[in-house]
Structure formats: structure tokens, C-alpha cells
Amino acid sequence: MSIRVLVADDHAAVRAGIVLILDGVDDIEVVGEAADGEQAVAMARELRPHVVLMDVRMPRLDGISAARELSGVCDVLILTTFDVDEYVFGALRAGAAGFLLKNTDADALVEAVRLVARGDGLISPGVTRRLIAAFAEQAPRREPRPGPEGLTPREREVLACIGRGLSNAEIARELDMAEATTKTHVSRVLNKLGLKSRVQAAIYYSEGA
């Protein structure tokens, strides 16, 4: 089954470039293009893509607000530049599955879409890891979170692996369990901690869980 992707960016040339890259991949299907946040939300609710590639700065509704509205509908992968950290911080709080810099090369873009579609999130590349660390250092928690006491020993191990940026496959190898079992543990960790995404779990862990 193809990974269904919606591309949301107010710059037509950027959208066209992303669509050109993704349309050339056998296992990815671009199901729509949106030029602003409101259109992105409406199209995502109608088309139900697996992943929305979402620009941060867009007219009518910004990418952060759009990501918040799409929490639970589909995974949102934010497109940004490094000099807008505050927008990325907001997107992560809103439940985005991760983010990409706009200068990401074609192969990395395709792999990022695949990772997010598999439920892994995009938290391992060097820039992403540094930005998550900066977020944990600079941004105060906006709401209380449950403590890790309710997690089983195995779930705590899984949380630690997420905090290190490991994918489900990598966690399965490290903890010697099936990948399907890993996905179950990840879901339980997120539910017990009241978190929306793996990125939020990585932030939670880096804040001293």
C-alpha cells in the first residue's frame, strides 16, 4: 500500500519541488497540495493522508495551529528553517511527528516520510537532536505530565530508547523483541504519559524523566 502524502506550503515552487521528488517514488502517493493552513486542515480531514508535509509560516492558519487541529487525524511532518526555532518548539508541543529543514536532500525527504508513516517519527538526525535538546533546555513545560512511575520496567527501557532517537526497528534489536511488540510498548508509553508523539516522548525523556 502506498504512503498517502499531502503537501502544504504557500510557495508554489517549493510545493512543486516536493511533489516532483515524492511522485518519483513507487511507495509514495501525493494525494493533494494545499497553499495555506486552513486548506491543509480541510484537505487532510477529507483525504485522510498518512503524512502531511506542513510548512510553518503560511497564510490564514500557520503550520503550528494546523498541526494542532490535525492531532489524531494524521501525522504531521513540519518543514522549517533553523532560524525559526520558536515555531518548531510550538509544533512539537502541538503533537507534530517531527520536522525537516527545507534544505533537506531528496533521499532524506523520502526516508523521513517513510519513517513518519511507520510511526517512528523524525527525531534522530543531528540537527533534530540538537534542536530537541535546545527545546528541553529553553521551553518551560506548559502543562503537568504524569511521572514515569506508572511505566513498567520494559516501558521505561523503551522510553529511554525513544529519548536516544532510536526507531522501532532499532529498539526491537536493542531490547531483543519483535518490532510489533515494540510498537505496542511505544503506544502504551505515549498513552500513559499523555503524550501525542514520539518527539514529545523524546523531549519528556530529555527533561529528566
PDB file of all heavy atoms in Angstrom, residues 1-28:
ATOM      1  N   MET A   1       0.837  -1.198   0.000  1.00  0.00           N
ATOM      2  CA  MET A   1       0.000   0.000   0.000  1.00  0.00           C
ATOM      3  C   MET A   1       0.875   1.252   0.000  1.00  0.00           C
ATOM      4  O   MET A   1       1.848   1.332   0.742  1.00  0.00           O
ATOM      5  CB  MET A   1      -0.903   0.009   1.241  1.00  0.00           C
ATOM      6  CG  MET A   1      -1.867   1.183   1.276  1.00  0.00           C
ATOM      7  SD  MET A   1      -2.958   1.141   2.737  1.00  0.00           S
ATOM      8  CE  MET A   1      -1.769   1.481   4.038  1.00  0.00           C
ATOM      9  N   SER A   2       0.529   2.198  -0.838  1.00  0.00           N
ATOM     10  CA  SER A   2       1.311   3.434  -0.943  1.00  0.00           C
ATOM     11  C   SER A   2       1.088   4.331   0.277  1.00  0.00           C
ATOM     12  O   SER A   2       0.028   4.320   0.893  1.00  0.00           O
ATOM     13  CB  SER A   2       0.919   4.210  -2.203  1.00  0.00           C
ATOM     14  OG  SER A   2       1.270   3.503  -3.369  1.00  0.00           O
ATOM     15  N   ILE A   3       2.112   5.105   0.611  1.00  0.00           N
ATOM     16  CA  ILE A   3       2.014   6.104   1.672  1.00  0.00           C
ATOM     17  C   ILE A   3       1.362   7.344   1.077  1.00  0.00           C
ATOM     18  O   ILE A   3       1.870   7.937   0.123  1.00  0.00           O
ATOM     19  CB  ILE A   3       3.407   6.459   2.217  1.00  0.00           C
ATOM     20  CG1 ILE A   3       4.087   5.219   2.791  1.00  0.00           C
ATOM     21  CG2 ILE A   3       3.301   7.553   3.279  1.00  0.00           C
ATOM     22  CD1 ILE A   3       5.568   5.418   3.080  1.00  0.00           C
ATOM     23  N   ARG A   4       0.230   7.740   1.624  1.00  0.00           N
ATOM     24  CA  ARG A   4      -0.513   8.885   1.099  1.00  0.00           C
ATOM     25  C   ARG A   4      -0.011  10.163   1.767  1.00  0.00           C
ATOM     26  O   ARG A   4       0.015  10.258   3.003  1.00  0.00           O
ATOM     27  CB  ARG A   4      -2.015   8.698   1.365  1.00  0.00           C
ATOM     28  CG  ARG A   4      -2.620   7.531   0.611  1.00  0.00           C
ATOM     29  CD  ARG A   4      -3.984   7.123   1.150  1.00  0.00           C
ATOM     30  NE  ARG A   4      -4.923   8.231   1.189  1.00  0.00           N
ATOM     31  CZ  ARG A   4      -5.623   8.667   0.150  1.00  0.00           C
ATOM     32  NH1 ARG A   4      -5.487   8.063  -1.032  1.00  0.00           N
ATOM     33  NH2 ARG A   4      -6.454   9.673   0.268  1.00  0.00           N
ATOM     34  N   VAL A   5       0.389  11.128   0.949  1.00  0.00           N
ATOM     35  CA  VAL A   5       1.009  12.352   1.460  1.00  0.00           C
ATOM     36  C   VAL A   5       0.274  13.583   0.943  1.00  0.00           C
ATOM     37  O   VAL A   5      -0.093  13.659  -0.238  1.00  0.00           O
ATOM     38  CB  VAL A   5       2.498  12.435   1.047  1.00  0.00           C
ATOM     39  CG1 VAL A   5       3.127  13.739   1.534  1.00  0.00           C
ATOM     40  CG2 VAL A   5       3.266  11.245   1.595  1.00  0.00           C
ATOM     41  N   LEU A   6       0.058  14.542   1.841  1.00  0.00           N
ATOM     42  CA  LEU A   6      -0.458  15.857   1.476  1.00  0.00           C
ATOM     43  C   LEU A   6       0.665  16.870   1.688  1.00  0.00           C
ATOM     44  O   LEU A   6       1.312  16.878   2.740  1.00  0.00           O
ATOM     45  CB  LEU A   6      -1.657  16.223   2.353  1.00  0.00           C
ATOM     46  CG  LEU A   6      -2.220  17.654   2.223  1.00  0.00           C
ATOM     47  CD1 LEU A   6      -2.857  17.851   0.860  1.00  0.00           C
ATOM     48  CD2 LEU A   6      -3.238  17.925   3.324  1.00  0.00           C
ATOM     49  N   VAL A   7       0.911  17.715   0.697  1.00  0.00           N
ATOM     50  CA  VAL A   7       1.980  18.714   0.775  1.00  0.00           C
ATOM     51  C   VAL A   7       1.355  20.089   0.981  1.00  0.00           C
ATOM     52  O   VAL A   7       0.539  20.537   0.177  1.00  0.00           O
ATOM     53  CB  VAL A   7       2.839  18.716  -0.506  1.00  0.00           C
ATOM     54  CG1 VAL A   7       3.930  19.785  -0.413  1.00  0.00           C
ATOM     55  CG2 VAL A   7       3.466  17.341  -0.732  1.00  0.00           C
ATOM     56  N   ALA A   8       1.738  20.754   2.080  1.00  0.00           N
ATOM     57  CA  ALA A   8       1.177  22.070   2.405  1.00  0.00           C
ATOM     58  C   ALA A   8       2.290  23.100   2.498  1.00  0.00           C
ATOM     59  O   ALA A   8       3.128  23.050   3.401  1.00  0.00           O
ATOM     60  CB  ALA A   8       0.401  22.005   3.716  1.00  0.00           C
ATOM     61  N   ASP A   9       2.303  24.045   1.571  1.00  0.00           N
ATOM     62  CA  ASP A   9       3.297  25.128   1.561  1.00  0.00           C
ATOM     63  C   ASP A   9       2.735  26.259   0.715  1.00  0.00           C
ATOM     64  O   ASP A   9       2.154  26.012  -0.346  1.00  0.00           O
ATOM     65  CB  ASP A   9       4.626  24.637   0.975  1.00  0.00           C
ATOM     66  CG  ASP A   9       5.785  25.553   1.319  1.00  0.00           C
ATOM     67  OD1 ASP A   9       5.752  26.742   0.884  1.00  0.00           O
ATOM     68  OD2 ASP A   9       6.722  25.121   2.008  1.00  0.00           O
ATOM     69  N   ASP A  10       2.892  27.497   1.180  1.00  0.00           N
ATOM     70  CA  ASP A  10       2.315  28.609   0.432  1.00  0.00           C
ATOM     71  C   ASP A  10       3.165  29.029  -0.757  1.00  0.00           C
ATOM     72  O   ASP A  10       2.725  29.839  -1.579  1.00  0.00           O
ATOM     73  CB  ASP A  10       2.062  29.818   1.349  1.00  0.00           C
ATOM     74  CG  ASP A  10       3.317  30.323   2.020  1.00  0.00           C
ATOM     75  OD1 ASP A  10       4.163  29.498   2.397  1.00  0.00           O
ATOM     76  OD2 ASP A  10       3.451  31.551   2.188  1.00  0.00           O
ATOM     77  N   HIS A  11       4.367  28.492  -0.885  1.00  0.00           N
ATOM     78  CA  HIS A  11       5.215  28.799  -2.036  1.00  0.00           C
ATOM     79  C   HIS A  11       5.036  27.711  -3.097  1.00  0.00           C
ATOM     80  O   HIS A  11       5.404  26.550  -2.884  1.00  0.00           O
ATOM     81  CB  HIS A  11       6.676  28.897  -1.624  1.00  0.00           C
ATOM     82  CG  HIS A  11       6.952  30.037  -0.692  1.00  0.00           C
ATOM     83  ND1 HIS A  11       6.963  31.355  -1.103  1.00  0.00           N
ATOM     84  CD2 HIS A  11       7.209  30.055   0.632  1.00  0.00           C
ATOM     85  CE1 HIS A  11       7.217  32.138  -0.075  1.00  0.00           C
ATOM     86  NE2 HIS A  11       7.364  31.377   0.991  1.00  0.00           N
ATOM     87  N   ALA A  12       4.484  28.100  -4.221  1.00  0.00           N
ATOM     88  CA  ALA A  12       4.165  27.128  -5.273  1.00  0.00           C
ATOM     89  C   ALA A  12       5.404  26.383  -5.760  1.00  0.00           C
ATOM     90  O   ALA A  12       5.342  25.173  -6.030  1.00  0.00           O
ATOM     91  CB  ALA A  12       3.487  27.837  -6.444  1.00  0.00           C
ATOM     92  N   ALA A  13       6.526  27.091  -5.873  1.00  0.00           N
ATOM     93  CA  ALA A  13       7.742  26.447  -6.362  1.00  0.00           C
ATOM     94  C   ALA A  13       8.239  25.380  -5.394  1.00  0.00           C
ATOM     95  O   ALA A  13       8.712  24.311  -5.809  1.00  0.00           O
ATOM     96  CB  ALA A  13       8.832  27.493  -6.597  1.00  0.00           C
ATOM     97  N   VAL A  14       8.130  25.662  -4.095  1.00  0.00           N
ATOM     98  CA  VAL A  14       8.544  24.677  -3.085  1.00  0.00           C
ATOM     99  C   VAL A  14       7.646  23.446  -3.148  1.00  0.00           C
ATOM    100  O   VAL A  14       8.109  22.303  -3.127  1.00  0.00           O
ATOM    101  CB  VAL A  14       8.508  25.300  -1.669  1.00  0.00           C
ATOM    102  CG1 VAL A  14       8.788  24.230  -0.610  1.00  0.00           C
ATOM    103  CG2 VAL A  14       9.521  26.427  -1.562  1.00  0.00           C
ATOM    104  N   ARG A  15       6.337  23.697  -3.224  1.00  0.00           N
ATOM    105  CA  ARG A  15       5.393  22.568  -3.334  1.00  0.00           C
ATOM    106  C   ARG A  15       5.713  21.718  -4.554  1.00  0.00           C
ATOM    107  O   ARG A  15       5.753  20.493  -4.474  1.00  0.00           O
ATOM    108  CB  ARG A  15       3.944  23.069  -3.451  1.00  0.00           C
ATOM    109  CG  ARG A  15       3.334  23.575  -2.186  1.00  0.00           C
ATOM    110  CD  ARG A  15       1.810  23.547  -2.242  1.00  0.00           C
ATOM    111  NE  ARG A  15       1.251  24.024  -3.485  1.00  0.00           N
ATOM    112  CZ  ARG A  15       1.006  25.314  -3.775  1.00  0.00           C
ATOM    113  NH1 ARG A  15       1.301  26.239  -2.874  1.00  0.00           N
ATOM    114  NH2 ARG A  15       0.484  25.661  -4.920  1.00  0.00           N
ATOM    115  N   ALA A  16       5.938  22.372  -5.671  1.00  0.00           N
ATOM    116  CA  ALA A  16       6.203  21.644  -6.911  1.00  0.00           C
ATOM    117  C   ALA A  16       7.458  20.792  -6.795  1.00  0.00           C
ATOM    118  O   ALA A  16       7.496  19.644  -7.265  1.00  0.00           O
ATOM    119  CB  ALA A  16       6.347  22.625  -8.071  1.00  0.00           C
ATOM    120  N   GLY A  17       8.480  21.330  -6.138  1.00  0.00           N
ATOM    121  CA  GLY A  17       9.706  20.572  -5.970  1.00  0.00           C
ATOM    122  C   GLY A  17       9.513  19.343  -5.100  1.00  0.00           C
ATOM    123  O   GLY A  17      10.017  18.255  -5.410  1.00  0.00           O
ATOM    124  N   ILE A  18       8.759  19.506  -4.004  1.00  0.00           N
ATOM    125  CA  ILE A  18       8.497  18.376  -3.109  1.00  0.00           C
ATOM    126  C   ILE A  18       7.662  17.311  -3.821  1.00  0.00           C
ATOM    127  O   ILE A  18       7.950  16.117  -3.736  1.00  0.00           O
ATOM    128  CB  ILE A  18       7.772  18.862  -1.839  1.00  0.00           C
ATOM    129  CG1 ILE A  18       8.700  19.764  -1.023  1.00  0.00           C
ATOM    130  CG2 ILE A  18       7.312  17.671  -0.998  1.00  0.00           C
ATOM    131  CD1 ILE A  18       8.009  20.461   0.131  1.00  0.00           C
ATOM    132  N   VAL A  19       6.634  17.759  -4.525  1.00  0.00           N
ATOM    133  CA  VAL A  19       5.767  16.821  -5.240  1.00  0.00           C
ATOM    134  C   VAL A  19       6.562  16.060  -6.295  1.00  0.00           C
ATOM    135  O   VAL A  19       6.393  14.845  -6.463  1.00  0.00           O
ATOM    136  CB  VAL A  19       4.584  17.568  -5.885  1.00  0.00           C
ATOM    137  CG1 VAL A  19       3.813  16.635  -6.825  1.00  0.00           C
ATOM    138  CG2 VAL A  19       3.659  18.119  -4.814  1.00  0.00           C
ATOM    139  N   LEU A  20       7.445  16.747  -6.989  1.00  0.00           N
ATOM    140  CA  LEU A  20       8.267  16.109  -8.025  1.00  0.00           C
ATOM    141  C   LEU A  20       9.120  14.991  -7.420  1.00  0.00           C
ATOM    142  O   LEU A  20       9.231  13.905  -7.997  1.00  0.00           O
ATOM    143  CB  LEU A  20       9.166  17.152  -8.687  1.00  0.00           C
ATOM    144  CG  LEU A  20      10.040  16.657  -9.844  1.00  0.00           C
ATOM    145  CD1 LEU A  20       9.177  16.180 -10.997  1.00  0.00           C
ATOM    146  CD2 LEU A  20      10.993  17.764 -10.308  1.00  0.00           C
ATOM    147  N   ILE A  21       9.690  15.270  -6.262  1.00  0.00           N
ATOM    148  CA  ILE A  21      10.518  14.257  -5.592  1.00  0.00           C
ATOM    149  C   ILE A  21       9.675  13.062  -5.163  1.00  0.00           C
ATOM    150  O   ILE A  21      10.015  11.903  -5.443  1.00  0.00           O
ATOM    151  CB  ILE A  21      11.216  14.865  -4.356  1.00  0.00           C
ATOM    152  CG1 ILE A  21      12.271  15.885  -4.801  1.00  0.00           C
ATOM    153  CG2 ILE A  21      11.862  13.773  -3.505  1.00  0.00           C
ATOM    154  CD1 ILE A  21      12.823  16.718  -3.649  1.00  0.00           C
ATOM    155  N   LEU A  22       8.567  13.329  -4.496  1.00  0.00           N
ATOM    156  CA  LEU A  22       7.765  12.239  -3.939  1.00  0.00           C
ATOM    157  C   LEU A  22       7.041  11.431  -5.011  1.00  0.00           C
ATOM    158  O   LEU A  22       6.858  10.213  -4.860  1.00  0.00           O
ATOM    159  CB  LEU A  22       6.759  12.797  -2.931  1.00  0.00           C
ATOM    160  CG  LEU A  22       7.362  13.494  -1.703  1.00  0.00           C
ATOM    161  CD1 LEU A  22       6.248  13.980  -0.776  1.00  0.00           C
ATOM    162  CD2 LEU A  22       8.306  12.564  -0.954  1.00  0.00           C
ATOM    163  N   ASP A  23       6.614  12.097  -6.084  1.00  0.00           N
ATOM    164  CA  ASP A  23       5.914  11.383  -7.150  1.00  0.00           C
ATOM    165  C   ASP A  23       6.822  10.399  -7.888  1.00  0.00           C
ATOM    166  O   ASP A  23       6.333   9.508  -8.585  1.00  0.00           O
ATOM    167  CB  ASP A  23       5.325  12.384  -8.161  1.00  0.00           C
ATOM    168  CG  ASP A  23       3.914  12.817  -7.776  1.00  0.00           C
ATOM    169  OD1 ASP A  23       3.302  12.139  -6.927  1.00  0.00           O
ATOM    170  OD2 ASP A  23       3.432  13.823  -8.328  1.00  0.00           O
ATOM    171  N   GLY A  24       8.117  10.577  -7.732  1.00  0.00           N
ATOM    172  CA  GLY A  24       9.058   9.670  -8.397  1.00  0.00           C
ATOM    173  C   GLY A  24       9.374   8.426  -7.596  1.00  0.00           C
ATOM    174  O   GLY A  24      10.220   7.621  -7.998  1.00  0.00           O
ATOM    175  N   VAL A  25       8.692   8.251  -6.460  1.00  0.00           N
ATOM    176  CA  VAL A  25       8.952   7.108  -5.583  1.00  0.00           C
ATOM    177  C   VAL A  25       7.764   6.148  -5.637  1.00  0.00           C
ATOM    178  O   VAL A  25       6.609   6.565  -5.501  1.00  0.00           O
ATOM    179  CB  VAL A  25       9.183   7.585  -4.129  1.00  0.00           C
ATOM    180  CG1 VAL A  25       9.477   6.401  -3.225  1.00  0.00           C
ATOM    181  CG2 VAL A  25      10.328   8.595  -4.085  1.00  0.00           C
ATOM    182  N   ASP A  26       8.047   4.879  -5.811  1.00  0.00           N
ATOM    183  CA  ASP A  26       6.986   3.891  -6.026  1.00  0.00           C
ATOM    184  C   ASP A  26       6.024   3.749  -4.848  1.00  0.00           C
ATOM    185  O   ASP A  26       4.831   3.514  -5.050  1.00  0.00           O
ATOM    186  CB  ASP A  26       7.598   2.519  -6.332  1.00  0.00           C
ATOM    187  CG  ASP A  26       8.278   2.481  -7.702  1.00  0.00           C
ATOM    188  OD1 ASP A  26       7.951   3.350  -8.543  1.00  0.00           O
ATOM    189  OD2 ASP A  26       9.119   1.598  -7.921  1.00  0.00           O
ATOM    190  N   ASP A  27       6.531   3.868  -3.620  1.00  0.00           N
ATOM    191  CA  ASP A  27       5.677   3.579  -2.466  1.00  0.00           C
ATOM    192  C   ASP A  27       5.049   4.821  -1.838  1.00  0.00           C
ATOM    193  O   ASP A  27       4.507   4.765  -0.743  1.00  0.00           O
ATOM    194  CB  ASP A  27       6.458   2.800  -1.404  1.00  0.00           C
ATOM    195  CG  ASP A  27       7.661   3.571  -0.874  1.00  0.00           C
ATOM    196  OD1 ASP A  27       8.131   4.497  -1.558  1.00  0.00           O
ATOM    197  OD2 ASP A  27       8.133   3.244   0.240  1.00  0.00           O
ATOM    198  N   ILE A  28       5.139   5.957  -2.524  1.00  0.00           N
ATOM    199  CA  ILE A  28       4.549   7.202  -2.013  1.00  0.00           C
ATOM    200  C   ILE A  28       3.615   7.799  -3.063  1.00  0.00           C
ATOM    201  O   ILE A  28       3.944   7.856  -4.241  1.00  0.00           O
ATOM    202  CB  ILE A  28       5.644   8.228  -1.649  1.00  0.00           C
ATOM    203  CG1 ILE A  28       6.499   7.707  -0.488  1.00  0.00           C
ATOM    204  CG2 ILE A  28       5.024   9.574  -1.273  1.00  0.00           C
ATOM    205  CD1 ILE A  28       7.656   8.611  -0.110  1.00  0.00           C
TER     206      ILE A  28
END
